[in-house]
Amino acid sequence: GQQVMQIPQYQHVQEGEDFTTYCNSSTTLSNIQWYKQRPGGHPVFLIQLVKSGEVKKQKRLTFQFGEAKKNSSLHITATQTTDVGTYFCADPNTGGFKTIFGAGTRLFVKA
Amino acid sequence: DGGITQSPKYLFRKEGQNVTLSCEQNLNHDAMYWYRQDPGQGLRLIYYSQIVNDFQKGDIAEGYSVSREKKESFPLTVTSAQKNPTAFYLCASGRTGTNYGYTFGSGTRLTVV
């Protein structure tokens, strides 16, 4: 079935370093969503991208949707310990009324 | 405040027992979902419901059952047929249409003892 692939699976960074996670689809996506799950917590919806080439920012987080709408990225500038968690991309359309989640990228930040 | 409430937060089950996990939302969302998450893993869809009195199997429905008698409630029963039920269970709700993200509950951690 349709999947969205995320890389890397894990990322260890020193506090202050940048971090990027990538999401790829074999088919064209209508929209792409991003969620964050803190350790021991539940996923929280961050943002949805809709347009080809769209770039949105939330403080130190920058979200991009590829021109072909087959890939997306989340970039965090100058990571902080509060950024620790798992970041999931999600396809809300292809699954027929159900969102398909990527496997997630788990971010570890060393102070 | 609107949101999703899952209970209990922690649940221990003896082998061979059925247990029911509660999920209630007051967001007036039509759609509700149950996901299972194993340690260090992603989200796997168990069941989902778009409207009252209707629900569909997700990717890992075997050993689970649900009901949707009210818009606000979508309880999940983990039956004795589920051979490896220890996991973190997340309930979510969402509006119909694809322009909105899901709202998740805080989850139930189920452990078989």
Side-chain angles (χ1 to χ4, degrees):
Chain A
Q2 171 65 17
Q3 294 183 52
V4 284
M5 308 301 294
Q6 266 189 272
I7 55 171
Q9 188 176 4
Y10 301 96
Q11 183 81 60
H12 293 256
V13 300
Q14 195 74 31
E15 189 175 24
E17 292 181 339
D18 292 356
F19 159 76
T20 304
T21 174
Y22 300 91
C23 184
N24 298 293
S25 170
S26 57
T27 60
T28 302
L29 302 168
S30 295
N31 308 330
I32 189 82
Q33 296 175 344
W34 286 92
Y35 292 76
K36 177 185 178 181
Q37 183 178 22
R38 294 181 185 275
H42 57 277
V44 174
F45 174 71
L46 295 177
I47 205 164
Q48 174 165 276
L49 304 175
V50 178
K51 300 177 183 177
S52 169
E54 187 171 13
V55 178
K56 286 189 175 180
K57 293 190 176 184
Q58 291 180 349
K59 297 183 180 179
R60 294 177 295 101
L61 276 61
T62 302
F63 303 85
Q64 253 184 314
F65 203 6
E67 293 290 341
K69 301 183 76 173
K70 287 188 174 183
N71 58 75
S72 181
S73 65
L74 159 58
H75 179 82
I76 302 178
T77 303
T79 55
Q80 300 175 358
T81 54
T82 54
D83 296 324
V84 164
T86 301
Y87 293 86
F88 295 97
C89 64
D91 169 13
N93 293 79
T94 310
F97 301 109
K98 62 182 190 291
T99 295
I100 297 172
F101 287 84
T105 294
R106 191 165 182 183
L107 174 63
F108 299 87
V109 180
K110 185 175 181 181
Chain B
D1 288 339
I4 297 185
T5 302
Q6 286 189 244
S7 62
K9 190 171 183 178
Y10 299 95
L11 185 58
F12 297 89
R13 189 194 95 168
K14 293 182 179 179
E15 288 194 21
Q17 278 185 337
N18 292 353
V19 291
T20 297
L21 283 57
S22 171
C23 179
E24 303 276 334
Q25 55 102 356
N26 60 4
L27 298 166
N28 199 33
H29 287 169
D30 288 313
M32 296 187 74
Y33 307 83
W34 274 105
Y35 287 89
R36 169 179 172 144
Q37 188 174 37
D38 293 284
Q41 302 298 312
L43 305 172
R44 292 190 288 169
L45 183 63
I46 305 172
Y47 268 98
Y48 64 104
S49 169
Q50 295 293 314
I51 55 173
V52 174
N53 292 321
D54 188 45
F55 48 83
Q56 285 76 42
K57 293 181 179 180
D59 301 318
I60 56 165
E62 186 175 351
Y64 301 97
S65 65
V66 293
S67 63
R68 187 86 186 275
E69 297 177 1
K70 299 186 300 181
K71 187 176 184 178
E72 300 80 15
S73 179
F74 192 39
L76 173 74
T77 297
V78 184
T79 75
S80 57
Q82 171 49 240
K83 297 306 177 188
N84 186 23
T86 296
F88 187 41
Y89 290 87
L90 288 158
C91 179
S93 72
R95 303 182 197 180
T96 52
T98 57
N99 291 326
Y100 309 99
Y102 291 171
T103 300
F104 281 85
S106 56
T108 294
R109 294 193 182 277
L110 174 63
T111 303
V112 173
V113 296

